Amino acid sequence: MILKSCLDKAGTLTLQRAALLATYNISTYEASHSLLAKEEVVQPIISSCRSQDILSRRCALLILSNLACNDKIRAGATKGGGLQAAILALKDEDITTARFACICLSNMANESNTQSQILVHGGLPSLMSLSELVDDDETSECAIMCLSNLAANESNQVPMMKQGGPFIAVSSSNKNPSLYHLFAVANLTSNPEILSQLGREGGIRALLTLAKSDNLHFQCSAIAGLRRLLLTRENRDRFIVEGGVSILANHSGKTDIEGLTELTVTELQREIASCFCNLTLNKNHRLDITRTSIAAISLLSRSSDPETVRLSLGAVGNLAEDIETHSFMGPEQANCISSAIVGLGHQNLDIKREAARAVANLLSSKDFHSDVIENGLDSLIDLSAETGCDECQYLTALSFRKLSPTRLSHNVLTNHGLQHILALTKVPNKMTRKHAAAAIRDLSGFGGQNTSVFFSLGTVTAMTELIKDNEKELQTIALATLRHLSPSTHITDDFSRSVLVKCGVRCISWANDDMKCQIAGLMANLSEHRECHSTMIAQGIVPALGKLASTEVSEIKQDCGRAFANLCSNEEKQTIIYRQGGLKTLVSLSKTKCEVCQRYVAIAMRFMASAREIQRSISKENEFTPFLELSTSELVDYRRASAASMASMSLNQIGKTMILKKGGIRAVLRLCVHLDSCVQREAVFCIANFVASPDFRQYISKEGGVETLKAVVTTCADTDILREASRALSSLSNHIPTRAIMISQEIPQLISKLAKSSDNSTQRFAALALCNLCQGTREEKELVVKQGALRILLFLLRFPDLEIERCASLAIAALSLGSDNNKSEIMSKGFVQPLLEAITYPDVNMRRSALLALNSISLGKSNLKQQVLIENGLSTLLTLVKSKDDESIHAGIFLLGTLAENMDTCDSMVAMDCIQLLVETVPTGSIEIKRAAAYLFSLLSENPDYHDTIRSGGALESIVELAALVDDECQDYGAFTLAFLANNKSFQVPLVKLGAVRPLVSMMANNSDAKHYASLALLKLADNFENHMKIAEEGGIEALLALGRSKVSNEQITYEANKSVSRMAKHMESKSSGAV
């Protein structure tokens, strides 16, 4: 109270000074602050701050400064004008007083309210001026200390920066700046609005200076300030220039400084990690940071502090965004991938997220794939199931996307992770869905044996849903996945209910080239499965392919062509495809320059042209022109397609007619001589089909078909082509006008090449062609022989194929008929022996053909009759007569009859019991056999030497039976035979007893050709008196009377008839008288 009184009443300067000095001394004792803070004490002190006496002002300011040090009474020292007094003292002329004012305000500025009030009352300019004093470091430092406290208030920071440029510059330019300078800068960094300005005005350099302090707390403060400054891009660039990276790297390893607590070290590492995390946001410095500090960052990532780990992994993730940094992060350097993998298994979700980001970025380099697959892939799969973290899902999806091209990851991703990846395709985040879908796309592209997993987990359904998405890129990825899966047969399961094709078709209207490429590939793969064709066509695949084909991208066109080729291979769908415009699309695709596409288009058009209904439509709608145009194309595939299409059309009458009307025959003939064997094969096949119909042979011939086929056979060595050429020639040889052309073109000579082919069918057709060519006129036949046909026929006759031998035999038969020259050539070439061997074959047709040939050779003046004896052929013939085939028996007996015209041969036949064989054969034989036998009997009956053999062999009865047949030829030969036999008196009675009169009378009554010989026979029979009664009973007298009255008959016969009747009458009369 005494001091208060002295202060209030201080009348003299000395007393005032003493009171203030005493009060100052007391204020240095903290326990006295509560007493001094009372208003009645403080006010005199505040008033003394404005005293005229310098010492009084100094003491008053010191007292207020001491009181402001106490947190509890600081407000009392500030109120009542204390703050204003201190602010005014800043402008005091006495520099010491101003210094004490700075100290007082520094203590007062420990309260946030006071901090802002100092600036409100105008203290900032004075403090800034004092801080810039050059010749008074102590005062400057006090001012800066006060400014440092003021800078802790956010509301002061902007005004301070507006006037603090020089302060920053001074502090940053000093070689040994005050710590208060640096703390002021550190406090200013808490305001994000001035961070860039701080960086521009030297704040980074100042804080880096503070960070070099040996005091760990100072380091923490400086690095915390730097961490805040590094939030802006331009400050990060300045930080790199100022060399801050190395300072951070050096401080990151300080964990064993004496006296440091674990908490302090942890805070320091956390701030460093945060700085690195911010600093690595700049792309242009990442490589330099990695080179110098990646080891330090990796060390921080293994800290025990979760926040430090999170921030350091964040820095690794930022650095790893640039692939150039990856070479410094490998196991040999910092082994960041190991830290990131460990982070994936951390319990803290934030650490997992940053670790996943680091892994995802590092996976851009394939070098890290094996480590992640072996140690971290399971953790990534587990993290992908974190439904509460969208970023985690995105990062794992991105990781899967980058790992999926590596085959080593496929087993784990497919068998254990596919379900989770499919789940990621259904999350709301678009990018997550895209990366997950891309991972599935890559996995499905290498599915191999694990393809069934995709279908069992519903991948097709999931991708179909993604196609319905409005995002074009996502649709493209989903379509690509389905394209990869579509070759599997599992795609056909329940495909009829699938809307896969419909969704793909719907996308075409807005699809870009990439999406169109995937759609076309998908549809082409699906078309490989016949089970899918019905659904695909029902859902509009054909018009869709037409839209896709309008693009200029060759790959799309190629897949469109492949789809058409597969769809058109289904015969049941060809007509539908045509009606939906498939042929028009194929025609447009045929103009592409893509060789593979051309091949597919050619195949599709070939398939489509094979349907008969489509052929009708093509003919009706006049759409045959494209096929003709293909025949003139320079592309071999198109010519193949044209030839094959017309070959298919030529299989039926409709197609042949269309080709003929549209002028296609000439085109086909051109293709027959094409250098490509496939084109040539199909074209020749088409011609062979054409000439198989008789109606079209003349048109082929007129267009030079024979000449073309000759060129084909001459130049070609392909077995299939030669086979079809042989077939064509065999058909053309049936056309009589063409046959003459073929002979003139020396086709028989050309057939020798075909006849010697290793292909059995070719030989058969060649033999048939030659057989047909041998059926011409005599001149043509002889020309055929001159062209060397006999040499070929002899080769064919000995070939071990019955059909070929049969054709050769028929050809010989044809050549022999009507040409004695040919017969001589045939005989001289040794054909008899093979033919005789042929009649012993068990095959009936072969025997018949050989017999026909032998019969043809034997007719007329032929040496065959003698040669048969030479070749011992009679026994073979007689054996043949014993067979069960009527035609062979007939031909054999006919041949025997022809041979019997030679006496030597006839003698041999009789000696070999030929007559008895005939007797056994005739009763059960056909009419043809009976005729042949009748002819042979007629020849034998001419020679009386054979009569006894005829009688002993029982042939008389057979002869009478043959004569009694109602058959003109048998009656002719029978009458002739009976006429000769009746000359033998020993036969006259037996013949009558066997019934020879009745057939003779019948023949005489019918005015048939046999009437003459029947009359002669009856006249001879009438010479024997024993026969008169039988002749009379059988009507012979009436026949003879009619013969005697006939004006047509020979006079001698008429005379003999009348004479016989007279003789018979006398004999009958005498016999009657004797009886009476």
Side-chain angles (χ1 to χ4, degrees):
M1 296 299 294
I2 296 173
L3 289 173
K4 177 181 180 298
S5 175
C6 292
L7 291 173
D8 290 340
K9 298 179 180 180
T12 63
L13 181 61
T14 303
L15 180 61
Q16 183 181 10
R17 288 178 176 177
L20 288 171
L21 183 59
T23 304
Y24 165 71
N25 291 333
I26 293 172
S27 67
T28 59
Y29 183 58
E30 185 177 357
S32 65
H33 289 179
S34 58
L35 296 174
L36 295 176
K38 293 181 180 180
E39 183 178 356
E40 56 269 21
V41 178
V42 171
Q43 282 301 320
I45 298 173
I46 294 173
S47 299
S48 297
C49 291
R50 293 188 288 271
S51 173
Q52 296 296 321
D53 181 52
I54 294 176
L55 293 176
S56 297
R57 294 199 301 273
R58 290 177 179 177
C59 288
L61 289 169
L62 288 174
I63 295 169
L64 287 176
S65 177
N66 290 337
L67 293 175
C69 287
N70 195 316
D71 294 338
K72 296 179 181 179
I73 64 172
R74 185 178 295 134
T78 306
K79 293 179 180 179
L83 179 63
Q84 290 83 349
I87 292 173
L88 288 174
L90 292 173
K91 301 178 181 180
D92 199 297
E93 294 179 355
D94 179 51
I95 193 64
T96 303
T97 302
R99 183 189 311 121
F100 292 161
C102 289
I103 295 172
C104 181
L105 287 174
S106 294
N107 293 336
M108 291 180 177
N110 284 322
E111 291 288 340
S112 59
N113 291 334
T114 306
Q115 293 167 354
S116 59
Q117 288 298 317
I118 292 174
L119 265 69
V120 170
H121 292 291
L124 181 59
S126 299
L127 287 170
M128 295 299 295
S129 299
L130 292 172
S131 69
E132 297 173 359
L133 291 175
V134 178
D135 53 352
D136 190 346
D137 291 342
E138 187 177 358
T139 302
S140 175
E141 185 172 350
C142 290
I144 292 174
M145 179 177 63
C146 181
L147 288 170
S148 177
N149 289 341
L150 293 178
N153 192 304
E154 187 175 351
S155 62
N156 295 341
Q157 292 168 349
V158 175
M160 288 179 69
M161 283 304 300
K162 289 181 179 179
Q163 300 184 32
F167 153 68
I168 296 295
V170 169
S171 63
S172 61
S173 62
N174 276 329
K175 294 182 179 179
N176 296 305
S178 169
L179 288 175
Y180 296 116
H181 279 91
L182 306 180
F183 284 128
V185 176
N187 289 336
L188 287 173
T189 58
S190 63
N191 191 328
E193 297 179 6
I194 61 174
L195 293 178
S196 298
Q197 185 180 354
L198 276 172
R200 287 193 298 271
E201 296 183 3
I204 293 175
R205 184 177 301 172
L207 290 177
L208 286 175
T209 302
L210 181 61
K212 296 176 183 179
S213 170
D214 294 334
N215 189 308
L216 192 61
H217 297 289
F218 291 175
Q219 293 177 12
C220 283
S221 298
I223 294 173
L226 289 169
R227 182 250 306 166
R228 291 189 286 270
L229 283 175
L230 293 176
L231 291 173
T232 64
R233 179 184 181 86
E234 58 181 298
N235 285 343
R236 293 194 286 269
D237 293 334
R238 292 189 185 93
F239 183 86
I240 298 295
V241 174
E242 294 291 344
V245 175
S246 59
I247 296 175
L248 291 177
N250 292 334
H251 283 63
S252 64
K254 293 182 178 181
T255 59
D256 56 351
I257 300 177
E258 185 177 355
L260 293 182
T261 63
E262 183 179 353
L263 179 61
T264 305
V265 174
T266 299
E267 289 179 355
L268 177 62
Q269 290 182 338
R270 187 181 301 166
E271 292 296 344
I272 295 172
S274 183
C275 285
F276 276 123
C277 189
N278 292 335
L279 193 61
T280 53
L281 293 173
N282 273 31
K283 296 181 179 180
N284 52 332
H285 298 299
R286 286 175 181 167
L287 184 58
D288 293 333
I289 294 172
T290 305
R291 286 172 177 167
T292 58
S293 307
I294 190 60
I297 297 173
S298 179
L299 181 63
L300 291 171
S301 68
R302 293 189 285 273
S303 172
S304 59
D305 177 51
E307 186 64 15
T308 303
V309 174
R310 182 186 72 82
L311 293 169
S312 59
L313 288 176
V316 173
N318 292 339
L319 291 173
E321 288 182 7
D322 290 342
I323 197 168
E324 294 85 358
T325 65
H326 292 185
S327 59
F328 301 95
M329 297 185 182
E332 297 79 5
Q333 290 81 18
N335 200 14
C336 295
I337 191 65
S338 177
S339 301
I341 291 173
V342 172
L344 290 174
H346 205 281
Q347 294 181 350
N348 189 302
L349 183 60
D350 292 334
I351 294 177
K352 288 183 178 181
R353 181 177 60 251
E354 294 302 329
R357 187 163 69 90
V359 169
N361 291 335
L362 286 172
L363 286 175
S364 296
S365 293
K366 195 173 182 180
D367 296 338
F368 297 101
H369 284 202
S370 59
D371 290 333
V372 175
I373 293 168
E374 292 175 7
N375 304 313
L377 189 51
D378 291 334
S379 299
L380 279 173
I381 293 173
D382 294 338
L383 183 59
S384 67
E386 290 284 352
T387 56
C389 180
D390 294 342
E391 190 173 354
C392 291
Q393 291 178 331
Y394 166 76
L395 292 170
T396 52
L398 179 60
S399 299
F400 296 147
R401 163 68 183 85
K402 293 181 178 180
L403 282 172
S404 56
T406 303
R407 295 295 295 269
L408 187 62
S409 68
H410 289 185
N411 186 39
V412 178
L413 285 177
T414 303
N415 295 326
H416 302 293
L418 183 58
Q419 184 175 359
H420 298 288
I421 302 175
L422 284 171
L424 292 177
T425 63
K426 302 174 184 178
V427 301
N429 186 278
K430 180 181 72 175
M431 294 303 296
T432 302
R433 295 203 312 273
K434 185 183 79 170
H435 289 309
I440 296 174
R441 176 198 62 194
D442 294 339
L443 290 173
S444 63
F446 300 94
Q449 297 179 351
N450 292 332
T451 306
S452 57
V453 178
F454 291 88
F455 291 93
S456 63
L457 293 177
T459 305
V460 174
T461 304
M463 294 301 106
T464 304
E465 292 300 319
L466 288 180
I467 295 175
K468 298 177 183 178
D469 195 285
N470 293 327
E471 179 62 31
K472 189 177 296 186
E473 188 175 2
L474 200 56
Q475 291 174 334
T476 304
I477 295 173
L479 287 165
T481 303
L482 291 170
R483 179 183 182 179
H484 293 157
L485 294 175
S486 54
S488 172
T489 55
H490 294 288
I491 197 73
T492 61
D493 296 341
D494 204 23
F495 190 80
S496 59
R497 298 183 182 180
S498 172
V499 294
L500 172 58
V501 176
K502 185 182 293 183
C503 292
V505 169
R506 184 175 61 88
C507 294
I508 295 176
S509 58
W510 62 77
N512 54 22
D513 287 344
D514 188 14
M515 188 185 298
K516 287 181 179 178
C517 184
Q518 303 305 327
I519 295 173
L522 170 61
M523 300 309 168
N525 290 342
L526 288 175
S527 67
E528 301 280 353
H529 308 287
R530 186 174 286 259
E531 300 89 339
C532 300
H533 288 185
S534 298
T535 304
M536 292 177 70
I537 293 174
Q539 294 183 6
I541 183 60
V542 177
L545 290 174
K547 295 178 181 178
L548 290 172
S550 62
T551 184
E552 297 299 324
V553 181
S554 60
E555 185 177 355
I556 298 175
K557 290 179 176 289
Q558 176 180 322
D559 284 327
C560 289
R562 180 160 64 96
F564 269 119
N566 292 328
L567 291 171
C568 291
S569 67
N570 190 335
E571 296 179 358
E572 299 176 358
K573 307 301 178 184
Q574 291 169 351
T575 304
I576 302 175
I577 294 171
Y578 174 82
R579 290 174 180 173
Q580 293 182 0
L583 181 59
K584 294 180 179 178
T585 303
L586 287 172
V587 172
S588 66
L589 281 173
S590 66
K591 299 176 183 178
T592 183
K593 296 181 180 180
C594 174
E595 183 178 350
V596 178
C597 182
Q598 293 168 357
R599 189 174 296 114
Y600 285 130
V601 170
I603 293 171
M605 293 185 71
R606 180 189 308 180
F607 281 135
M608 188 172 289
S610 64
R612 184 172 297 185
E613 189 172 347
I614 293 178
Q615 293 172 9
R616 291 195 190 98
S617 301
I618 290 174
S619 178
K620 183 178 180 181
E621 298 171 13
N622 196 24
E623 292 188 352
F624 181 70
T625 305
F627 295 95
L628 271 182
E629 292 176 349
L630 292 181
S631 69
T632 59
S633 173
E634 296 180 357
L635 301 172
V636 175
D637 287 322
Y638 284 171
R639 294 201 178 189
R640 289 177 181 175
S642 176
S645 299
M646 288 190 280
S648 298
M649 295 175 186
S650 66
L651 291 172
N652 59 78
Q653 202 73 7
I654 297 172
K656 292 178 184 176
T657 304
M658 177 176 60
I659 295 173
L660 178 63
K661 289 182 178 179
K662 302 300 180 181
I665 291 179
R666 188 171 297 174
V668 176
L669 290 173
R670 284 199 305 270
L671 294 176
C672 286
V673 292
H674 194 273
L675 296 177
D676 182 71
S677 60
C678 294
V679 176
Q680 198 174 19
R681 185 183 303 114
E682 298 293 346
V684 175
F685 177 77
C686 180
I687 293 299
N689 292 339
F690 257 97
V691 297
S693 299
D695 297 337
F696 296 97
R697 290 171 184 165
Q698 57 177 322
Y699 303 107
I700 300 296
S701 179
K702 288 179 181 178
E703 294 292 343
V706 175
E707 293 82 354
T708 301
L709 290 172
K710 179 180 179 180
V712 170
V713 175
T714 303
T715 60
C716 182
D718 185 272
T719 302
D720 295 331
I721 297 174
L722 293 177
R723 183 190 306 122
E724 297 304 326
S726 298
R727 183 163 69 94
L729 289 172
S730 67
S731 298
L732 280 173
S733 60
N734 268 328
H735 187 236
I736 296 176
T738 305
R739 191 183 299 159
I741 298 174
M742 294 177 70
I743 295 173
S744 66
Q745 291 292 327
E746 298 183 349
I747 297 298
Q749 185 177 356
L750 190 66
I751 288 177
S752 62
K753 176 181 179 180
L754 301 174
K756 296 176 181 179
S757 171
S758 59
D759 180 66
N760 184 251
S761 297
T762 304
Q763 289 180 310
R764 289 187 176 187
F765 287 128
L768 180 59
L770 189 57
C771 179
N772 293 334
L773 289 174
C774 293
Q775 298 178 34
T777 63
R778 181 179 62 81
E779 291 78 9
E780 290 175 345
K781 292 178 182 180
E782 292 179 354
L783 185 58
V784 168
V785 171
K786 289 180 181 180
Q787 293 178 7
L790 292 181
R791 185 177 65 256
I792 306 169
L793 289 173
L794 187 59
F795 168 78
L796 296 176
L797 190 60
R798 292 170 176 171
F799 195 81
D801 184 290
L802 293 178
E803 286 297 320
I804 295 175
E805 290 186 69
R806 190 172 69 86
C807 290
S809 300
L810 294 174
I812 295 168
L815 289 174
S816 301
L817 292 173
S819 175
D820 292 336
N821 292 333
N822 286 352
K823 290 179 183 179
S824 300
E825 287 287 336
I826 291 170
M827 296 287 292
S828 64
K829 297 293 184 182
F831 279 86
V832 176
Q833 181 61 36
L835 289 172
L836 288 173
E837 292 176 359
I839 65 176
T840 63
Y841 290 178
D843 184 76
V844 174
N845 292 326
M846 185 63 238
R847 292 203 305 266
R848 294 173 182 175
S849 301
L851 285 168
L852 179 61
L854 289 170
N855 276 305
S856 300
I857 297 171
S858 64
L859 293 176
K861 297 179 180 179
S862 172
N863 295 326
L864 178 66
K865 303 174 180 65
Q866 192 68 27
Q867 192 163 351
V868 168
L869 288 177
I870 298 172
E871 301 289 349
N872 297 319
L874 285 179
S875 61
T876 303
L877 285 171
L878 293 175
T879 303
L880 179 65
V881 174
K882 299 177 183 179
S883 68
K884 296 180 180 180
D885 177 53
D886 283 355
E887 289 194 27
S888 298
I889 296 172
H890 162 251
I893 295 175
F894 187 88
L895 179 57
L896 288 173
T898 307
L899 296 175
E901 295 173 0
N902 181 277
M903 292 304 297
D904 295 335
T905 305
C906 193
D907 290 341
S908 298
M909 290 167 55
V910 173
M912 297 173 71
D913 297 330
C914 173
I915 296 174
Q916 185 176 359
L917 183 60
L918 289 176
V919 172
E920 295 173 355
T921 305
V922 168
T924 58
S926 64
I927 187 64
E928 293 295 337
I929 293 175
K930 294 181 182 340
R931 290 172 181 171
Y935 174 70
L936 181 54
F937 278 133
S938 67
L939 293 177
L940 294 174
S941 64
E942 289 185 57
N943 192 340
D945 296 337
Y946 305 143
H947 286 188
D948 292 338
T949 306
I950 292 173
R951 183 173 185 177
S952 62
L956 293 179
E957 184 177 358
S958 298
I959 292 171
V960 172
E961 291 177 358
L962 290 173
L965 291 174
V966 185
D967 180 78
D968 291 342
E969 190 171 347
C970 288
Q971 289 178 351
D972 290 343
Y973 293 137
F976 183 84
T977 304
L978 290 173
F980 280 102
L981 293 177
N983 281 327
N984 191 327
K985 294 181 179 181
S986 63
F987 286 175
Q988 292 174 351
V989 174
L991 287 174
V992 172
K993 291 181 178 180
L994 291 172
V997 175
R998 180 172 295 178
L1000 292 173
V1001 171
S1002 176
M1003 285 185 273
M1004 293 172 64
N1006 290 333
N1007 293 320
S1008 62
D1009 293 338
K1011 181 177 180 180
H1012 173 71
Y1013 289 107
S1015 301
L1016 292 177
L1018 187 59
L1019 288 172
K1020 289 298 181 181
L1021 292 175
D1023 287 344
N1024 193 311
F1025 291 104
E1026 295 181 20
N1027 295 336
H1028 289 176
M1029 292 298 296
K1030 191 64 175 177
I1031 293 173
E1033 291 174 1
E1034 297 291 343
I1037 294 175
E1038 290 81 357
L1040 291 173
L1041 287 173
L1043 181 63
R1045 291 193 295 267
S1046 175
K1047 297 180 180 181
V1048 179
S1049 301
N1050 186 281
E1051 293 181 358
Q1052 181 65 31
I1053 294 177
T1054 302
Y1055 169 75
E1056 291 295 335
N1058 290 327
K1059 183 179 178 181
S1060 295
V1061 171
S1062 175
R1063 189 183 305 113
M1064 289 177 66
K1066 290 179 180 181
H1067 178 258
M1068 294 292 291
E1069 182 179 358
S1070 63
K1071 192 173 183 179
S1072 174
S1073 299
V1076 175

